[in-house]
Amino acid sequence: TREQLIAQEEADWQLLRARISLAHRPATTKVDAPLQTSGAPVQVELPSARETLVEVLTTAGDSQSAASLDVSIPPMMHDCELRDFQVSAREKLLFATLHLRQHALLFSAGVGTGKTFMVGSILDAYKQVGYDRPGVDRTVAIYPDFAWVTKANIVEKTRRDLLAGFGLGEADVLVTNYDQLRATLGKWFFRSHTVIREGEPYIVWEVIRGQLPKVIVWDEAHSLKNEDSLQSKLAQCINDLPPEERPLQIFMSATIGTRVRDFKCLAVAC
């Protein structure tokens, strides 16, 4: 009904405000106040992710949800030490996926900031809590719950980093490259058929049900920006599934695109 659509739209706006607030406000930490003129620096508490969302929900009139909000974040279980900004990014991404239940994320950070280790720590947390997406059909899956797609020349390095930093081996995460996804490996996840449109044949790709992982990390996600490329079409066909049946998709890139159409895979996935 019209009333239900209006209510759903308002709920979506509330959630969007929460996500925007979380994206621009860091996790709780102490910093020196810049306006102190004399004496010892004043320690200022910045709001945590939980405090930010509670504020948004309360402002929106949903005090019951705000009071019952649980935003516990799984601790680090391995010896890999993250820097403060990496820990903050980890907490925000886990909050967005474990508690806001987002379908897709863009993780954009500069070259050399340690994106692999930050996202690796997230996969490690998912393994700890038994992260699940009940709608993802894995009835005949032969590959792990997590998949990591990257450039061919850094596949081995990514495998080593995930294993050494977080104990994530081949039984936990499938690390492959875009070339393999287009070739032999892709046949386990995707299939094609030809349709006739306006008298012309077109190849259409679709997901093979029962095989998709629960989480897909698209490393070097700018590789998907050309919507007519095969790897982009394969990623796009995942988004043809209903949102609840899709895996969580994490798009990693320092520069994912410059034109609006470069963001098609990401935008539709969200």
Side-chain angles (χ1 to χ4, degrees):
T1 64
R2 183 174 181 274
E3 290 76 13
Q4 290 174 325
L5 290 175
I6 293 175
Q8 181 61 52
E9 183 177 359
E10 178 59 29
D12 291 342
W13 273 111
Q14 292 176 18
L15 187 56
L16 179 59
R17 291 190 204 100
R19 291 172 179 170
I20 293 173
S21 297
L22 289 174
H24 293 281
R25 297 173 71 172
T28 298
T29 185
K30 291 185 177 181
V31 297
D32 294 340
L35 300 180
Q36 182 72 10
T37 56
S38 63
V42 175
Q43 296 295 310
V44 179
E45 287 286 342
L46 297 179
S48 66
R50 184 187 193 283
E51 291 167 342
T52 300
L53 188 57
V54 166
E55 177 186 332
V56 172
L57 291 173
T58 302
T59 302
D62 194 354
S63 56
Q64 183 175 358
S65 295
S68 61
L69 189 64
D70 175 18
V71 292
S72 56
I73 300 296
M76 293 281 293
M77 298 296 290
H78 294 275
D79 295 333
C80 181
E81 294 185 3
L82 300 182
R83 297 183 178 181
D84 290 344
F85 75 91
Q86 294 172 326
V87 172
S88 177
R90 174 182 183 270
E91 291 179 349
K92 290 179 181 179
L93 291 174
L94 287 174
F95 181 84
T97 53
L98 295 179
H99 302 288
L100 297 183
R101 304 298 294 181
Q102 290 182 260
H103 302 299
L105 297 169
L106 169 60
F107 184 51
S108 181
V111 177
T113 54
K115 293 189 293 295
T116 299
F117 287 96
M118 285 185 270
V119 177
S121 72
I122 293 168
L123 296 187
D124 179 46
Y126 291 158
K127 181 181 176 181
Q128 289 181 51
V129 301
Y131 178 77
D132 193 20
R133 292 184 68 82
V136 177
D137 183 0
R138 288 183 51 80
T139 52
V140 293
I142 62 173
Y143 288 106
D145 288 348
F146 309 142
W148 189 300
V149 187
T150 187
K151 293 289 186 69
N153 61 338
I154 57 175
V155 165
E156 289 305 319
K157 181 181 184 302
T158 301
R159 286 174 179 160
R160 290 196 304 269
D161 290 343
L162 294 176
L163 182 60
F166 309 102
L168 296 172
E170 293 183 0
D172 303 303
V173 54
L174 168 67
V175 182
T176 186
N177 61 72
Y178 290 100
D179 295 332
Q180 285 293 314
L181 199 63
R182 294 196 304 263
T184 55
L185 186 63
K187 69 180 182 182
W188 293 103
F189 301 109
F190 310 101
R191 62 181 167 219
S192 65
H193 62 274
T194 303
V195 298
I196 304 299
R197 295 175 181 169
E198 299 179 354
E200 296 291 334
Y202 289 90
I203 297 177
V204 177
W205 291 90
E206 63 181 13
V207 170
I208 298 177
R209 303 246 177 189
Q211 288 284 6
L212 283 180
K214 295 177 182 178
V215 180
I216 300 178
V217 178
W218 300 106
D219 192 7
E220 307 291 345
H222 48 269
S223 300
L224 303 174
K225 67 181 182 180
N226 181 2
E227 61 181 300
D228 294 323
S229 66
L230 181 53
Q231 61 236 36
S232 181
K233 289 180 179 179
L234 296 179
Q236 290 174 48
C237 78
I238 294 176
N239 299 327
D240 291 336
L241 297 172
E244 64 275 6
E245 295 182 19
R246 300 176 199 160
L248 168 66
Q249 299 180 72
I250 301 176
F251 295 81
M252 293 171 54
S253 179
T255 54
I256 191 171
T258 56
R259 303 166 299 178
V260 172
R261 63 183 181 183
D262 295 343
F263 296 83
K264 180 176 181 178
C265 281
L266 168 67
V268 179
C270 293

